[in-house]
Amino acid sequence: MSVTREGGWYPLMLSADLETGTVAGSAVPGRDLAVWRDGQGRAHVWDDRCPHRGMRLSLGFVREGALACLYHGWRFGAEGRCVHIPAHPDLAPPGTIRTVPLPVAERHGLVWASVGAAGVQPEGDPAMEAAAWLPVRSVRIEAPWRDVARAVGMPEGRRAAVLDRDVDGRVLAALLPVGAGACMLHLLAAAPAGVERLHDLADWGRDVRSRAEERAGRACLAGIVA
Amino acid sequence: MSDLVLHDDDLDEDCYRARLFLSLLGLEARRVAVDVVPGGEQDGPAFRAVSPAGMLPVLRIDGQKVCGAGAVLLALAHGRPEWLPGERADFARVAHWLHFAGGPLRATLLMRRACLFGGAGDAPSARRRAAVGALRIMEDHLAQRRLEGGTWFVGEGATVADVALFPAAALCRDWGEEYSAYPALRRWVRAVRALPGFVGMPGIPDYG
């Protein structure tokens, strides 16, 4: 994985959370993204903007191997080219109508996208390569990602690493910055892992969230409000 | 249930809870529109004669009035063990989530109403934090359920608890919360959408 501070490969979400034939929203710093998986199981990451009227493609739906915009139903195929315009069903859309695809990789149970100058793939390190990783969960944290990175013991400059602290056994943690003051923490457990251990890791993720948000003064407590 | 009449507002998520459950059960109700925005009809004497506290929706079942989403869902679920388990432990779990939907989860409904109809915008506030906190309780529960292979809030199939909780999650974008922060909720929203008889509402497009 790239060690650049901005740009490089970003861990967007757990692969398990992107089901076949669905689209989800995500983002890298300064750029909203639509992430979708086609019928063959391939993941695609595009700018979250329909080239027709600017509608967010992440609100759309997957039809016949293409991502359809919710607004006027324009469909975009795997390479980002417009393949169908419902109002002109007989028209072959010109190749200039296209979205902007980002390089995508799926490794270690995560969907990655790269921005700017980055290697061909997110580089693993030996510890990440040494195990198969089971998805635990992703946790949204209302605190700056660097604070969370420090709190979980992520090596300096890394967005993903195998951690060896606070919890039993090996855990792969990956951090996606969201805006200036929030992040998603993705957690995976080294296989094999029983249900109890997965629950423990999910609980640990919740604790990380509570502590980080308390430090940031951003606790979100549910309760009765008027 | 031969004769059903629903006093209903298209944009109100409590009314949608009733419409969604009726549709999932394959029941049809004659609908009587209540003009909430801008009319404020729920606070007028005519509607208060129907629903003394002004609660929407109201379902008349063979002439008997049932007021409020929680009561309507329970009345419709009564005698249907697939939606309201009879066994004590799962019954208690469903009761817990129904109570949550009528309690802390109201913060999401108030946020949505303030943003859509009150011009409150989505600035940080105690109410917003409470609403986010409530969605997180659902997200955390579903993330844990998934680790043991569960899709629904309680048990092996959809229950009335899922119906009561669904609109708050599905409509969170109306008050500025993105699904991307709630991957477990997003998966569950898809599962609810795939139920036979599912219907949407404004803000929950029904593209199949």
Side-chain angles (χ1 to χ4, degrees):
Chain A
M1 197 198 37
S2 166
V3 294
T4 49
R5 291 202 159 265
E6 294 291 332
W9 287 92
Y10 287 87
L12 300 183
M13 60 178 66
L14 295 172
S15 289
D17 278 338
L18 189 63
E19 297 160 288
T20 295
T22 69
V23 59
S26 186
V28 292
R31 204 161 167 186
D32 289 336
L33 302 173
V35 186
W36 66 284
R37 196 184 289 289
D38 65 27
Q40 278 74 54
R42 268 181 68 203
H44 307 272
V45 181
W46 297 347
D47 273 331
D48 196 7
R49 185 180 184 285
C50 179
H52 177 220
R53 284 289 181 264
M55 178 71 170
R56 288 167 56 185
L57 287 170
S58 62
L59 302 181
F61 47 92
V62 179
R63 279 285 180 286
E64 296 172 20
L67 180 57
C69 177
L70 186 63
Y71 207 5
H72 299 108
W74 288 30
R75 288 186 199 164
F76 300 88
E79 306 314 316
R81 270 194 56 179
C82 184
V83 293
H84 181 64
I85 298 176
H88 303 279
D90 299 328
L91 179 78
T96 48
I97 304 177
R98 57 182 307 138
T99 62
V100 184
L102 277 66
V104 186
E106 288 203 64
R107 293 194 83 180
H108 313 304
L110 291 158
V111 180
W112 303 76
S114 97
V115 180
V120 184
Q121 291 221 60
E123 299 164 28
D125 63 21
M128 283 160 77
E129 303 292 350
W133 297 99
L134 301 172
V136 175
R137 69 170 296 191
S138 296
V139 189
R140 160 86 165 203
I141 303 178
E142 300 288 330
W145 82 272
R146 282 181 215 286
D147 294 357
V148 178
R150 254 193 309 277
V152 301
M154 187 83 74
E156 183 65 25
R158 298 280 300 268
R159 295 189 186 112
V162 178
L163 307 181
D164 186 22
R165 49 177 289 170
D166 283 3
V167 278
D168 291 334
R170 282 168 301 160
V171 50
L172 173 55
L175 276 164
L176 177 71
V178 179
C183 60
M184 292 294 288
L185 171 64
H186 311 297
L187 296 175
L188 303 97
V195 172
E196 209 164 303
R197 171 160 162 66
L198 299 179
H199 277 300
D200 284 349
L201 276 176
D203 287 344
W204 178 70
R206 231 155 50 164
D207 290 345
V208 169
R209 180 179 69 195
S210 308
R211 291 195 297 266
E213 293 184 348
E214 207 170 307
R215 279 193 304 274
R218 308 261 303 270
C220 291
L221 269 188
I224 306 289
V225 293
Chain B
M1 293 189 189
S2 48
D3 186 24
L4 296 171
V5 180
L6 184 70
H7 297 261
D8 178 51
D9 168 27
D10 252 351
L11 298 179
D12 181 272
E13 72 181 84
D14 277 333
C15 294
Y16 171 60
R17 287 180 162 92
R19 293 197 301 273
L20 174 59
F21 200 29
L22 285 166
S23 181
L24 291 173
L25 296 176
L27 298 174
E28 297 227 8
R30 184 166 66 81
R31 284 166 62 183
V32 179
V34 180
D35 176 11
V36 174
V37 179
E41 213 179 288
Q42 77 282 7
D43 293 327
F47 187 71
R48 289 290 172 134
V50 177
S51 178
M55 278 194 294
L56 279 162
V58 177
L59 183 67
R60 290 178 189 267
I61 305 174
D62 289 328
Q64 184 190 354
K65 294 181 303 184
V66 185
C67 301
V72 167
L73 293 186
L74 271 179
L76 289 171
H78 178 74
R80 302 177 196 271
E82 68 277 27
W83 291 98
L84 183 62
E87 179 265 327
R88 187 200 298 265
D90 275 352
F91 179 89
R93 290 185 183 101
V94 169
H96 164 84
W97 287 111
L98 288 179
H99 201 64
F100 175 82
L105 194 58
R106 303 300 286 178
T108 62
L109 179 146
L110 295 171
M111 269 306 294
R112 177 172 171 272
R113 280 189 190 160
C115 288
L116 290 187
F117 308 121
D122 58 358
S125 65
R127 182 188 283 163
R128 164 168 284 275
R129 285 201 300 278
V132 168
L135 282 188
R136 278 183 178 184
I137 287 172
M138 294 167 61
E139 169 76 14
D140 289 350
H141 178 72
L142 288 173
Q144 298 276 11
R145 289 279 294 149
R146 181 205 196 184
L147 297 178
E148 54 218 37
T151 301
W152 308 100
F153 269 82
V154 178
E156 299 304 308
T159 65
V160 67
D162 297 284
V163 180
L165 298 166
F166 176 76
L171 292 166
C172 68
R173 291 192 286 225
D174 282 355
W175 51 277
E177 278 297 291
E178 294 296 333
Y179 285 179
S180 54
Y182 305 94
L185 280 179
R186 179 180 157 267
R187 268 196 320 270
W188 168 75
V189 163
R190 277 178 42 75
V192 174
R193 281 175 165 286
L195 289 171
F198 177 84
V199 287
M201 70 168 271
I204 307 178
D206 184 11
Y207 42 71

